[in-house]
């Protein structure tokens, strides 16, 4: 809880230090910066595309490499597929800031979650009840995303596989 035991006197002393607010805002700014960095399209990254490690990667048993373009299709799928582990880690640790939505390519709603989170923190520091209402709405949104995230990952990976097979 914000302000609890910050004075160091008693079990339920309430107080708030101005330095805590500054560090909290710096942390939020750093997280928003990282999310914006993650929103850069992958074709602008230097590491975009298959690496030599991917080129030398063995394929699954039973897949014939005699078909032209199959190895590059598999490499492209491996590069661009979404990982459920990464998505759920982002949801768990940075879900309140919408990081999992940025990862899934839902940038506008990710920005909405980040704005709601920052606005709730600011409102909690000034008008307590409105800040908690914002966090309640954010929690409901986060909980709904926890159930929807696996479907989004499957849809993205299926669309990716379909688009890659239709290219060849």
């Amino acid at each position: 809880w914000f302000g609890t035991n910050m004075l160091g006197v008693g079990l339920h002393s309430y107080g708030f230090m101005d330095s805590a607010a500054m560090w909290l805002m710096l942390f939020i700014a750093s997280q928003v910066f990282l999310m914006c960095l993650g929103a850069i399209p992958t074709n602008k990254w230097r590491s975009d595309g298959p690496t030599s490690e991917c080129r030398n990667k063995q394929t699954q048993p039973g897949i014939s490499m005699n078909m032209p373009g199959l190895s590059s299709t598999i490499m492209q799928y491996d590069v661009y597929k979404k990982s459920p582990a990464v998505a759920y880690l982002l949801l768990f640790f940075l879900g309140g800031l919408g990081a999992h939505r940025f990862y899934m390519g839902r940038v506008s709603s990710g920005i909405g979650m980040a704005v709601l989170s920052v606005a709730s923190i600011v409102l909690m520091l000034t008008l307590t009840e409105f800040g908690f209402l914002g966090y309640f709405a954010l929690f409901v949104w986060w909980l709904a995303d926890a159930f929807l995230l696996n479907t989004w990952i499957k849809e993205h990976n299926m669309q990716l596989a379909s688009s890659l097979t239709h290219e060849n």
Side-chain angles (χ1 to χ4, degrees):
W1 297 98
F2 292 129
T4 305
N5 270 343
M6 293 188 101
L7 295 176
V9 179
L11 182 61
H12 296 289
S13 63
Y14 295 94
F16 195 75
M17 296 185 305
D18 291 335
S19 63
M22 179 194 69
W23 287 109
L24 183 62
M25 291 302 160
L26 283 174
F27 172 75
I28 292 169
S30 72
Q31 298 305 302
V32 169
F33 172 75
L34 288 174
M35 288 186 292
C36 291
L37 193 62
I40 297 173
T42 55
N43 60 355
K44 302 292 184 199
W45 296 359
R46 284 187 70 190
S47 64
D48 186 38
T51 62
S52 60
E53 180 183 313
C54 289
R55 281 186 220 108
N56 296 331
K57 187 177 180 181
Q58 296 295 323
T59 60
Q60 297 174 355
I63 297 179
S64 170
M65 294 307 294
N66 296 334
M67 297 173 55
L70 181 62
S71 62
S72 67
T73 302
I74 293 171
M75 286 187 290
Q76 285 179 342
Y77 179 79
D78 284 342
V79 168
Y80 294 111
K81 72 178 179 180
K82 299 295 183 187
S83 166
V86 171
Y88 278 104
L89 284 172
L90 287 171
L91 175 74
F92 184 74
F93 289 109
L94 297 171
L97 295 173
H100 61 288
R101 287 185 165 266
F102 285 101
Y103 177 70
M104 292 305 302
R106 298 168 183 257
V107 176
S108 58
S109 59
I111 291 171
M113 279 188 97
V115 167
L116 180 60
S117 182
V118 171
S120 296
I121 290 172
V122 170
L123 286 173
M124 273 182 43
L125 296 176
T126 57
L127 306 168
T128 307
E129 60 276 353
F130 293 114
F132 285 115
L133 287 175
Y135 268 117
F136 178 73
L138 193 63
F139 174 73
V140 170
W141 196 355
W142 179 88
L143 193 60
D145 283 357
F147 289 102
L148 294 172
L149 195 54
N150 196 38
T151 304
W152 295 343
I153 294 167
K154 286 180 182 178
E155 286 175 358
H156 175 272
N157 289 342
M158 291 299 288
Q159 287 175 352
L160 176 62
S162 176
S163 68
L164 290 174
T165 54
H166 285 98
E167 285 178 5
N168 293 329

